Amino acid sequence: MMGLPSPSFQPQSLWLLSQAKNGQITASENSLRLHSAYNPQREAQGAVALPEVAQKSITVFYGFGLGYHLIEWAKLYPQKNLLVIEPDLNHFFAAMMTLDLTQVFQLKNLIFAISCPPDQILSLFESFYSGQHSLSINLADRGVSDAYYFDIPAFTAHAQSYFDTVKSLIKRNQRKNEINAATLKKFGKLWCRNSLRNLDQLVKCPGIGSLEKKSGNFPFLVVGAGPSLEKVLPHIQELKDRCIIVCVETSLRSLLRYGVQPDFIILTDPQFWAYKHIAGLKAPDSFLITELSTYPAVFRFKCRQILLCHSQFPLGSYFEKELGLEKNLADLGSGGSVASSAWNFAYMCGAKKIYTIGLDFAFPGNQTHIKGSSAEETYHTISNRLSASDRFTAQALFSANAILSKDYQGNPVLTDSRMKMFAWWFEARLANCPDVQTFTLSAKGLNTPGIKVAELEELLQGPVITDKKKSFFAQAGLTGDEIARASVGIASAGEEISSNKDRLAHHLNQLKKTFPNKDFLQAYPFLKEYL
């Protein structure tokens, strides 16, 4: 942060101050007028008194000139949240020396981000929700989508590059939220159907909450199914002895082929094709982490134990809350890919160093997946004489605006808009988690800020922690309320679920009566089968 202005500092050193027609102070900077030359206060009143501003929980100002807009905003919305972003300390103090901002500083929910690094801005949105029992890892996302942005060119011209960076980061997160909303709309019925079929699993499977902050200093290795995984597979057994391996479902087949069962497998996609990645496989020494909305056959997977995370779908969340399971089912978020859930799990466990492999966010060597992965084998399964497997590979490579970008060594690597979106999620997430270091064991993937390259030998030279991991795994069992429910018996728990089904049906019928022109049960006919 810049130092305090010198005692001789005056606003005139930044702005050309003058008197408006109504007698108020106005200003211009580099020939660009900050406020009206006739009535700055009335101009500000009209700008902030918009229905769109009132509808949002947060208002964000990119710069604020002399402060007229802030003062008028404070008069209209004293109970709402205000975030003011200003990279230059001199502009901040010059405004306070020019206008009386007392009314602004009396706001209860106010954040001034002065000289704040751009990658830290997103974390400030979370501050407005502190004390609320929302899904903690989604608070920043919730904020950027629930905010109105004042982007006045005259207020940002003095630091245009800085504001462009901040706006780019925020727009990326808004775009990610739009994708998540579109996914919810597309797969909503499927998630609902699966959740209702899997309700009994809420009392049969323990939650991952018992593992929160329990891993100590164990290093974690998050394994994706990208082409770079091939580099590490010959050493995967040695790595398992030295770290906790968390793999996504698409990479499980590759690990098993080398005789290694990962410590944890993550599968949170509700689609049948996600289940196909583990169909016919078994990992009796692994924990499978899934959620209520996944394809029902997932719960028949042969493993050490199935653990539940918080459901991303409202129906699943409803039953988790009604059954008092929220504390035991930690949230792994929705970052667009199961890899983001795997990273979130490692972070939830308390990892201080998270290594990754197979999370390339690109197509090094023009490969979409590691050779022999379940995804690649699917291409061969559905191929025929008219549609060779290469056709499916090419479609995956070029179906989402393929572009050339840079890897960690500065070399060109093929990626696309979908992969860059996943990388942007990691970039924003890592910026909000400065207490953990994230590394990649391959320099061939898309260069992602926040992820550093680490040598494989660094992990291979680490201490063997096989015996120490046992105490960590022992905590992944029935705890708290789940033990109480298990002691009562599955039959009693089933009655509790049935009772909540009836209550949900009652709520739906109430909605039906309240909105007679909207037949909710007709819109969602599959609910009738279960309710």
Side-chain angles (χ1 to χ4, degrees):
M1 179 179 286
M2 298 170 55
L4 294 175
S6 66
S8 60
F9 173 79
Q10 294 294 326
Q12 291 87 338
S13 63
L14 294 177
W15 301 318
L16 177 60
L17 299 178
S18 60
Q19 190 176 65
K21 295 293 184 180
N22 69 339
Q24 294 178 329
I25 299 175
T26 187
S28 60
E29 183 175 4
N30 297 325
S31 301
L32 188 63
R33 189 172 294 281
L34 299 178
H35 301 283
S36 169
Y38 295 88
N39 193 327
Q41 183 179 18
R42 186 173 64 189
E43 175 193 46
Q45 289 173 343
V48 301
L50 298 174
E52 296 87 343
V53 180
Q55 291 169 2
K56 298 292 186 179
S57 298
I58 302 173
T59 299
V60 178
F61 277 90
Y62 295 127
F64 60 99
L66 298 182
Y68 281 110
H69 290 71
L70 298 185
I71 295 171
E72 297 306 316
W73 187 96
K75 294 177 182 177
L76 289 176
Y77 315 107
Q79 302 303 320
K80 288 186 176 292
N81 304 304
L82 178 62
L83 171 60
V84 184
I85 303 173
E86 174 51 65
D88 184 57
L89 192 63
N90 288 333
H91 279 75
F92 172 71
F93 279 106
M96 289 199 298
M97 295 169 67
T98 306
L99 294 185
D100 183 2
L101 300 180
T102 301
Q103 196 163 1
V104 177
F105 284 98
Q106 288 176 341
L107 293 170
K108 294 181 179 180
N109 304 310
L110 168 68
I111 295 178
F112 266 99
I114 310 300
S115 299
C116 182
D119 57 3
Q120 298 295 319
I121 293 294
L122 289 174
S123 63
L124 298 179
F125 285 92
E126 297 186 13
S127 304
F128 293 121
Y129 299 106
S130 60
Q132 295 187 20
H133 300 289
S134 301
L135 308 180
S136 58
I137 64 173
N138 289 325
L139 292 182
D141 293 343
R142 173 182 168 185
V144 296
S145 296
D146 191 23
Y148 185 87
Y149 298 87
F150 277 98
D151 186 7
I152 301 174
F155 294 173
T156 61
H158 64 283
Q160 196 62 56
S161 177
Y162 173 90
F163 284 111
D164 286 345
T165 301
V166 171
K167 286 184 279 189
S168 176
L169 291 173
I170 290 176
K171 286 179 180 178
R172 288 177 187 176
N173 277 264
Q174 289 176 319
R175 175 58 179 157
K176 176 173 66 67
N177 295 344
E178 292 170 1
I179 292 175
N180 288 340
T183 302
L184 178 64
K185 182 178 180 180
K186 181 177 180 180
F187 296 109
K189 291 185 178 182
L190 174 63
W191 286 355
C192 188
R193 186 181 298 113
N194 288 347
S195 296
L196 288 167
R197 288 177 177 171
N198 295 331
L199 279 179
D200 290 346
Q201 303 300 332
L202 282 173
V203 294
K204 294 179 181 178
C205 302
I208 61 172
S210 58
L211 296 174
E212 188 168 0
K213 304 299 180 185
K214 298 293 178 61
S215 66
N217 293 321
F218 297 155
F220 276 68
L221 175 62
V222 175
V223 179
S228 65
L229 176 56
E230 195 167 359
K231 168 187 176 182
V232 166
L233 282 178
H235 310 280
I236 197 66
Q237 181 60 64
E238 297 173 79
L239 291 175
K240 185 180 179 181
D241 295 336
R242 291 164 173 80
C243 59
I244 295 174
I245 294 183
V246 183
C247 86
V248 302
E249 83 277 7
T250 49
S251 61
L252 176 61
R253 189 179 299 271
S254 297
L255 296 186
L256 295 180
R257 194 169 66 247
Y258 275 78
V260 171
Q261 298 179 42
D263 298 309
F264 295 94
I265 306 163
I266 309 286
L267 195 163
T268 56
D269 192 320
Q271 297 182 81
F272 167 75
W273 294 108
Y275 160 69
K276 287 289 289 182
H277 291 305
I278 65 171
L281 303 179
K282 58 182 179 180
D285 295 333
S286 302
F287 292 94
L288 173 65
I289 298 175
T290 188
E291 68 136 271
L292 202 63
S293 68
T294 51
Y295 191 73
V298 168
F299 290 94
R300 297 196 292 270
F301 179 70
K302 295 180 179 179
C303 61
R304 180 173 180 176
Q305 192 170 35
I306 294 179
L307 306 176
L308 286 178
C309 63
H310 177 83
S311 177
Q312 297 300 307
F313 188 68
L315 184 63
S317 299
Y318 169 85
F319 281 99
E320 291 168 4
K321 181 178 180 180
E322 291 298 316
L323 294 171
L325 292 170
E326 289 182 304
K327 293 182 180 179
N328 294 328
L329 301 176
D331 179 28
L332 295 187
S334 55
S337 70
V338 68
S340 61
S341 297
W343 189 96
N344 277 331
F345 172 71
Y347 182 73
M348 183 214 75
C349 290
K352 297 303 180 185
K353 287 188 176 182
I354 302 176
Y355 296 84
T356 67
I357 190 65
L359 273 65
D360 301 314
F361 308 126
F363 310 115
N366 290 335
Q367 285 183 253
T368 59
H369 296 82
I370 183 176
K371 293 180 180 179
S373 67
S374 55
E376 187 180 73
E377 289 187 1
T378 299
Y379 295 157
H380 293 292
T381 302
I382 61 179
S383 64
N384 54 48
R385 287 187 298 173
L386 299 179
S387 297
S389 59
D390 288 345
R391 176 182 176 181
F392 298 106
T393 301
Q395 186 176 3
L397 285 173
F398 301 105
S399 62
N401 302 319
I403 55 174
L404 281 176
S405 193
K406 299 290 185 181
D407 65 14
Y408 291 91
Q409 296 175 328
N411 300 318
V413 62
L414 186 67
T415 186
D416 61 24
S417 57
R418 181 180 56 237
M419 293 295 166
K420 293 197 76 171
M421 181 60 66
F422 298 155
W424 289 336
W425 181 92
F426 270 88
E427 179 181 347
R429 183 76 177 115
L430 297 180
N432 289 333
C433 303
D435 54 326
V436 63
Q437 294 178 288
T438 302
F439 304 92
T440 176
L441 298 178
S442 171
K444 301 295 185 181
L446 179 68
N447 190 337
T448 305
I451 301 179
K452 301 178 181 178
V453 178
E455 296 298 328
L456 178 60
E457 288 72 18
E458 178 182 328
L459 267 181
L460 293 177
Q461 293 174 3
V464 175
I465 60 172
T466 305
D467 293 333
K468 295 181 180 179
K469 286 198 292 184
K470 293 179 181 179
S471 61
F472 173 62
F473 297 147
Q475 299 175 78
L478 293 173
T479 59
D481 293 337
E482 294 167 318
I483 292 178
R485 268 192 301 280
S487 64
V488 174
I490 297 298
S492 175
E495 293 176 2
E496 191 176 358
I497 289 176
S498 178
S499 173
N500 281 285
K501 282 186 179 181
D502 293 338
R503 191 178 303 131
L504 178 60
H506 172 72
H507 291 328
L508 289 172
N509 284 319
Q510 287 297 110
L511 283 172
K512 186 177 178 180
K513 293 177 182 178
T514 306
F515 303 98
N517 295 326
K518 296 183 179 180
D519 189 341
F520 289 94
L521 290 179
Q522 184 176 354
Y524 299 97
F526 51 88
L527 285 175
K528 296 178 181 179
E529 180 181 349
Y530 301 96
L531 301 177

